[in-house]
Amino acid sequence: MDSGDFSARGILRSAAQQQQQTIDPDAIEARATRVSVSGVSRIREGVVNTLAHRILLARTVSDVAMEAREAAGRLQALGMAKAAYVVLDHTGDGANGARLIDVALECVDGPRYSVRTEAGVNDAEGTAGVTARLINIFGGGEAADFHYTRGSRTRAALQAGISLPVAADPLRSVSFAAAQRSIT
């Protein structure tokens, strides 16, 4: 075995060791410099600011990605987007060595309304009804529901409700509901 083979193996072994190094996204310092939302036809500036705030506070690549995924999930849960995709773009390095990242939430616009009809018969009463739902009315993920039923015994029943998310959080909302029913 000549010395040429030995040095080539050493170089190959060194290259293989470098490829096996894993990158820990929790250890890489990063700052989101810009957050943008595209593809949503109705969204208030306050909702974008609320979603972007936590992304801009993140300090590692892992945290930026996690907060961006959380924001995309909120857009979907609020009914503003049918689908939301996260795009992270490395724009350079900061003065302190932190990676600078632009975050884009690219969305497929969600449905604005849905209408459903129903009919049924039970205990000698026939009923027919319609349900309508308006989604993202004012650009903050609000939803209004209306339900009207008419039957042979129950002349009419009307129900209405509106749900207003708090701080762009689909799990926290204020809801108002009203119902009226007339029976013969």
Side-chain angles (χ1 to χ4, degrees), residues 56-72:
L56 294 171
L57 291 177
R59 295 295 175 231
T60 64
V61 171
S62 178
D63 290 344
V64 169
M66 181 181 66
E67 293 299 339
R69 284 192 306 264
E70 176 73 24

Side-chain angles (χ1 to χ4, degrees), residues 7 26 44 48 50 72 79 81 91 109 111 120 138 151 155 174-175:
S7 63
D26 289 325
R44 286 195 314 255
V48 174
T50 301
T91 58
D109 207 3
F138 307 115
R155 292 285 179 176
V174 177
S175 298

Side-chain angles (χ1 to χ4, degrees), residues 23-127:
I23 297 172
D24 183 12
D26 289 325
I28 300 172
E29 192 173 340
R31 302 281 187 276
T33 56
R34 187 173 65 127
V35 177
S36 63
V37 179
S38 63
V40 178
S41 61
R42 286 185 105 119
I43 189 165
R44 286 195 314 255
E45 184 179 345
V47 173
V48 174
N49 291 342
T50 301
L51 294 173
H53 180 73
R54 292 182 66 180
I55 297 171
L56 294 171
L57 291 177
R59 295 295 175 231
T60 64
V61 171
S62 178
D63 290 344
V64 169
M66 181 181 66
E67 293 299 339
R69 284 192 306 264
E70 176 73 24
R74 284 184 178 200
L75 287 171
Q76 288 178 286
L78 289 169
M80 295 177 157
K82 188 185 323 182
Y85 304 99
V86 175
V87 177
L88 302 177
D89 185 23
H90 178 239
T91 58
D93 292 330
N96 61 352
R99 306 244 168 127
L100 302 178
I101 299 173
D102 283 350
V103 178
L105 301 174
E106 296 178 357
C107 304
V108 176
D109 207 3
R112 302 272 306 151
Y113 63 89
S114 65
V115 178
R116 184 182 53 169
T117 59
E118 58 189 49
V121 177
N122 62 7
D123 294 334
E125 179 181 17
T127 60

